[in-house]
């Protein structure tokens, strides 16, 4: 299983999966954000629509109630009605013809409003005047409605469903006699068809649109239609906005009419409210699916376009295992991969050149090592010859000359050394070499040469590259003492520098000195220019300068190299500074030696 996973863990698959995850995250976040915002707007619009429908239904109900109230007020104030009730109140018997005259009046009002099924007129003592038949008001309706009508003093009181006709609603008002200071003269009751209060399409069974129900406090449906009493009572008592009614889920809005004290229920199917959200969800899912498929295709093409040149480059690199370094000839269109391909081809060309150079160096090194083995006999021959001179001179009593030979032998051993010897020595060891050199020069120059070496005890153990001071002393003798008429002096001083952690090295002679032009030309030689020396090879100071820059040129405290101060007739001073710890090159070389040891 891990092996199969490694095979699938390719750059192409990583790009493909990475792009896919990014796309899914972006689509998910954007989809959730858009869905939340749009669904919130749709929900608010639906709520506003439901509230508007409820307000309109309530306004329509108030208008219908107002029409009934106006009609019954006109009928109660009709002169004939007022006169008949006044006669009854005065104890006068109302004749049949007088009661018959009410038929024409009632018929005119019913023609104006057909929804009013009938109007019933009762006397103050509850006897029925119209229609012409026997009847009593306290037997027709509950006495509490009569009491409420008396309390309202002429305002309309809604009773509800007619006990004698469940398809009609009853409303009653007290008739006040205008000629008797609006005293109670009787009662006028209207029977209204329930369809009159059909405010919408109640319980039509439709899956869309609202159902508007008019329900009393007892849970009885007052508009047309049929509904279970308990179900409507449950709707009234429910505090939830979403309710279940007749096996459907509705959003409920409840309003109460203060005129009738009836409840107006506006029921909107949940499917109608969430229809826009469902469409939105479908659109988002479809858009996300299409976007994901398109992004998968684009990711596949992009990953292929990126990885194909890399695969060709890998194949070209694999050929190098067989020893064949060939440039990649694949044509690359993108700038970055084209630059990578160009860099690889340039590297192959350079490596082929390096291989050729290394091959030639190996051949040359083999030849050089052979010559070095042949030349190892020469130093031994030289040292043995000098030892033979020393023994011969000691046997003849030439002790001073024998000492010079020993100094020369040690000088050669110090200079030639072996290839495995350390390149670094201490300042004390370097000055011992300088002393031997000056002793040999005393034998040649005699009294013309005097010299002095000052070495601070704290500076004797400072590490320094071999033969760093001796070439400067040699230059002082060659161009200073030998060019002077008379006795010459060499002064070598090693002391602490004013710079913390550094040592100061000074070589001074009392030779003829140099002019400003000559000194400038000498600085040019130290910088790599042509030599100005007419004696020797002219490379002594140049090599010292290069070695100072090589060994002490790195780090924060860089050396300034050789500082030369010379004036005609005043001699020459050559000065330089080195760090007491030997610098980075010394530390690195000794770490390498200790690691190999």
């Amino acid at each position: 299983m891990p092996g199969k996973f490694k095979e699938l863990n390719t750059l192409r698959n990583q790009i493909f999966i990475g792009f896919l995850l990014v796309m899914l995250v972006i689509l998910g976040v954007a989809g959730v954000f858009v869905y939340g915002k749009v669904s919130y707007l749709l929900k608010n619009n639906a709520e506003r629509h439901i509230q508007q429908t409820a307000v309109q239904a309530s306004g329509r109900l108030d208008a219908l109630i107002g029409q009934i109230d106006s009609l019954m007020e006109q009928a109660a104030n009709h002169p004939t009605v007022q006169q008949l009730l006044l006669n009854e109140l005065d104890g006068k018997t109302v004749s049949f013809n007088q009661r018959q005259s009410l038929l024409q009046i009632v018929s005119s009002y019913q023609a104006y409003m057909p929804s009013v099924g009938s109007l019933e007129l009762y006397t103050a003592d509850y006897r029925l005047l119209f229609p012409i038949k026997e009847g009593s008001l306290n037997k027709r309706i509950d006495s509490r409605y009569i009491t409420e009508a008396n309390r309202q003093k002429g305002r309309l009181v809604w009773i509800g469903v007619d006990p004698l006709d469940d398809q009609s609603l009853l409303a009653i008002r007290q008739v006040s006699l205008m000629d008797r200071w609006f005293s109670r003269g009787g009662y006028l009751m209207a029977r209204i068809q329930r369809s009159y209060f059909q405010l919408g399409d109640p319980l039509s069974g439709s899956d869309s649109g609202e159902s508007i129900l008019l329900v009393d406090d007892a849970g009885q449906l007052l508009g047309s239609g049929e509904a279970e009493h308990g179900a409507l009572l449950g709707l009234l008592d429910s505090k939830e906005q979403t309710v279940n009614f007749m096996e459907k889920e509705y959003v409920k809005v409840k309003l109460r009419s203060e005129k009738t004290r009836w409840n107006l229920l506006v029921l909107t199917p949940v499917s109608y409210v969430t229809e826009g959200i469902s469409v939105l969800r479908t659109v988002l899912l479809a858009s996300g699916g299409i976007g994901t498929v398109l992004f998968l295709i684009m990711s596949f093409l992009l990953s292929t376009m990126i990885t194909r040149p890399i695969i060709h480059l890998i194949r070209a690199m694999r050929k190098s295992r067989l020893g064949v370094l060939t440039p990649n000839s694949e044509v690359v269109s993108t700038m970055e991969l084209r630059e990578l391909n160009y860099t690889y081809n340039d590297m192959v060309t350079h490596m082929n050149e390096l291989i050729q150079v290394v091959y030639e160096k190996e051949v040359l090194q083999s030849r050089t090592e052979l010559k070095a083995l042949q030349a190892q006999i020469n130093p031994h021959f030289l040292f043995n010859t000098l030892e033979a001179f020393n023994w011969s001179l000691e046997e003849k009593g030439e002790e001073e000359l024998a000492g010079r030979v020993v100094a020369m032998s040690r000088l050669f051993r110090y200079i030639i050394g072996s290839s495995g010897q350390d390149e670094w020595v201490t300042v004390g060891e370097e000055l011992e070499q300088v002393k031997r050199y000056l002793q040999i020069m005393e034998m040649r120059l005699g009294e013309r040469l005097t010299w002095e070496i000052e070495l601070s005890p704290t500076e004797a153990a400072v590490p320094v590259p071999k033969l760093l001071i001796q070439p400067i002393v040699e230059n002082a003798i060659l161009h200073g003492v030998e060019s002077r008429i008379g006795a010459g002096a060499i002064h070598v001083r090693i002391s602490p520098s004013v710079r913390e952690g550094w040592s100061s090295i000074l070589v001074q002679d009392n030779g003829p000195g140099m002019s400003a032009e000559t000194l400038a030309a000498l600085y040019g030689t130290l910088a790599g220019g042509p030599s100005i020396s007419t004696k020797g090879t002219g490379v002594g100071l140049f090599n010292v300068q290069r070695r100072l820059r090589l060994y002490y040129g790195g780090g924060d405290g860089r050396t300034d190299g050789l500082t030369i101060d010379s004036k005609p007739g005043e001699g020459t001073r050559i000065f330089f500074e080195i760090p007491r710890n030997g610098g980075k090159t010394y530390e690195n070389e000794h770490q390498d030696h200790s690691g190999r040891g």
Side-chain angles (χ1 to χ4, degrees):
M1 192 66 180
K4 292 183 179 180
F5 178 76
K6 290 182 179 179
E7 293 177 359
L8 297 176
N9 188 22
T10 61
L11 177 61
R12 179 178 182 177
N13 292 340
Q14 289 179 359
I15 295 175
F16 184 73
I17 295 175
F19 284 177
L20 177 61
L21 292 178
V22 170
M23 180 61 183
L24 291 177
V25 171
I26 293 175
L27 288 177
V29 173
V32 170
F33 178 78
V34 172
Y35 180 79
K37 289 294 183 181
V38 177
S39 61
Y40 175 76
L41 293 176
L42 291 174
K43 182 179 179 181
N44 285 346
N45 290 336
E47 290 178 354
R48 285 196 296 269
H49 174 72
I50 295 172
Q51 290 292 341
Q52 184 178 5
T53 302
V55 171
Q56 291 176 354
S58 178
R60 185 178 177 186
L61 177 62
D62 290 341
L64 295 176
I65 293 172
Q67 292 177 2
I68 299 296
D69 189 22
S70 176
L71 182 139
M72 293 185 67
E73 183 179 4
Q74 293 176 17
N77 294 331
H78 194 277
T80 301
V81 174
Q82 290 280 320
Q83 185 62 43
L84 289 178
L85 293 178
L86 183 60
N87 293 338
E88 280 288 332
L89 187 63
D90 291 339
K92 299 177 181 180
T93 304
V94 179
S95 66
F96 177 82
N97 291 332
Q98 289 176 326
R99 295 174 64 183
Q100 185 70 25
S101 64
L102 293 175
L103 178 61
Q104 185 178 358
I105 299 172
V106 172
S107 298
S108 64
Y109 286 116
Q110 287 179 328
Y112 176 72
M113 188 174 293
S115 58
V116 178
S118 65
L119 289 175
E120 299 177 7
L121 183 62
Y122 293 88
T123 63
D125 55 357
Y126 309 149
R127 288 183 297 106
L128 178 63
L129 283 181
F130 183 86
I132 304 173
K133 61 179 181 179
E134 295 296 327
S136 177
L137 180 61
N138 57 355
K139 295 181 179 180
R140 181 80 167 85
I141 61 174
D142 195 292
S143 60
R144 57 190 176 94
Y145 296 112
I146 300 174
T147 303
E148 182 66 18
N150 293 331
R151 192 176 67 85
Q152 293 295 331
K153 297 184 180 298
R155 285 192 290 269
L156 194 63
V157 175
W158 289 88
I159 299 173
V161 178
D162 187 356
L164 304 178
D165 182 8
D166 60 0
Q167 295 301 318
S168 300
L169 301 178
L170 296 179
I172 189 173
R173 68 181 301 157
Q174 175 186 297
V175 180
S176 300
L177 298 177
M178 292 182 288
D179 292 341
R180 293 291 178 90
W181 302 283
F182 295 95
S183 61
R184 179 166 59 90
Y187 302 92
L188 181 64
M189 187 168 64
R191 184 168 55 86
I192 304 103
Q193 297 176 6
R194 290 176 62 177
S195 59
Y196 178 73
F197 293 100
Q198 185 61 45
L199 304 176
D201 296 328
L203 312 178
S204 60
S206 175
D207 291 335
S208 62
E210 298 85 0
S211 296
I212 303 174
L213 306 179
L214 190 61
V215 184
D216 61 12
D217 290 338
Q220 188 172 16
L221 180 65
L222 301 178
S224 62
E226 297 293 337
E228 295 181 2
H229 178 79
L232 292 175
L233 189 59
L235 289 179
L236 291 176
D237 296 337
S238 176
K239 303 297 183 181
E240 301 293 332
Q241 187 177 8
T242 303
V243 295
N244 290 316
F245 181 64
M246 297 185 68
E247 300 181 353
K248 291 183 182 180
E249 195 172 17
Y250 293 91
V251 177
K252 182 192 73 173
V253 174
K254 178 182 176 181
L255 297 175
R256 185 172 179 83
S257 174
E258 294 300 327
K259 294 181 178 181
T260 61
R261 297 185 182 180
W262 294 340
N263 300 293
L264 191 65
L265 297 179
V266 181
L267 302 179
T268 304
V270 173
S271 59
Y272 174 77
V273 177
T274 60
E275 181 179 3
I277 300 177
S278 301
V279 173
L280 173 64
R281 187 188 303 114
T282 303
V283 170
L284 288 177
L285 291 176
S287 301
I290 295 173
T292 302
V293 172
L294 292 178
F295 197 81
L296 285 175
I297 296 174
M298 294 300 297
S299 300
F300 180 79
L301 295 177
L302 180 61
S303 61
T304 301
M305 184 176 63
I306 293 175
T307 57
R308 180 180 295 171
I310 298 177
I311 292 174
H312 286 285
L313 190 60
I314 292 174
R315 291 174 181 173
M317 290 180 178
R318 286 175 178 173
K319 293 181 180 179
S320 62
R321 298 178 182 177
L322 304 176
V324 181
L325 292 178
T326 57
N328 183 24
S329 59
E330 177 72 16
V331 179
V332 182
S333 58
T334 57
M335 182 184 69
E336 294 82 359
L337 295 177
R338 184 169 59 250
E339 184 66 22
L340 177 62
N341 190 64
Y342 171 78
T343 304
Y344 170 75
N345 291 340
D346 186 61
M347 181 189 67
V348 168
T349 302
H350 185 61
M351 288 183 64
N352 287 330
E353 294 175 356
L354 288 178
I355 290 173
Q356 182 64 26
V357 172
V358 170
Y359 173 75
E360 294 176 357
K361 285 185 177 181
E362 289 291 337
V363 174
L364 181 61
Q365 184 177 359
S366 298
R367 295 176 181 175
T368 303
E369 289 177 354
L370 179 60
K371 291 182 178 180
L373 291 174
Q374 296 174 349
Q376 285 182 356
I377 192 173
N378 296 331
H380 291 286
F381 175 76
L382 177 62
F383 296 151
N384 292 336
T385 302
L386 291 176
E387 290 294 333
F389 284 160
N390 179 34
W391 295 335
S392 176
L393 291 173
E394 285 182 353
E395 289 177 356
K396 295 179 179 181
E398 299 288 342
E399 295 182 358
E400 182 179 357
L401 187 57
R404 296 289 190 272
V405 172
V406 171
M408 184 178 296
S409 174
R410 292 179 179 176
L411 178 64
F412 286 156
R413 288 182 183 275
Y414 183 84
I415 295 175
I416 297 173
S418 62
S419 59
Q421 263 188 327
D422 197 348
E423 177 67 18
W424 292 78
V425 296
T426 63
V427 171
E429 293 172 343
E430 179 71 5
L431 290 184
E432 288 296 326
Q433 163 68 10
V434 172
K435 288 180 183 179
R436 298 187 191 102
Y437 174 76
L438 291 174
Q439 290 173 358
I440 294 174
M441 290 297 102
E442 278 184 335
M443 183 177 62
R444 185 169 71 86
L445 298 176
E447 295 180 355
R448 290 185 58 196
L449 174 64
T450 57
W451 53 272
E452 179 184 8
I453 296 178
E454 295 182 22
L455 175 62
S456 173
T458 59
E459 311 302 311
V462 173
V464 66
K466 187 187 295 185
L467 296 176
L468 190 66
I469 304 176
Q470 188 270 339
I472 303 177
V473 176
E474 181 180 351
N475 185 78
I477 293 177
L478 184 63
H479 298 283
V481 176
E482 289 187 356
S483 299
R484 173 185 173 83
I485 299 175
I490 301 294
H491 183 206
V492 180
R493 186 179 66 198
I494 315 297
S495 60
S497 172
V498 294
R499 186 160 42 161
E500 183 68 24
W502 288 67
S503 299
S504 173
I505 299 176
L506 172 68
V507 178
Q508 182 177 3
D509 65 73
N510 61 349
M514 291 179 286
S515 64
E517 293 79 7
T518 304
L519 183 60
L522 178 58
Y523 272 114
T525 300
L526 296 180
S531 175
I532 63 172
S533 176
T534 58
K535 298 180 180 180
T537 60
V539 297
L541 293 182
F542 175 73
N543 284 336
V544 172
Q545 180 79 337
R546 284 192 63 188
R547 296 176 73 195
L548 285 174
R549 298 285 173 83
L550 177 64
Y551 288 113
Y552 305 110
D556 297 333
R558 298 184 59 183
T559 182
D560 296 329
L562 296 176
T563 300
I564 304 175
D565 182 18
S566 180
K567 294 181 180 179
E570 296 183 6
T572 301
R573 298 173 71 253
I574 299 179
F575 166 83
F576 65 92
E577 292 182 338
I578 59 173
R580 288 178 181 165
N581 61 0
K584 295 292 182 182
T585 304
Y586 175 78
E587 294 177 3
N588 294 338
E589 290 186 3
H590 280 70
Q591 286 177 0
D592 293 342
H593 286 307
S594 62
R596 286 192 294 267

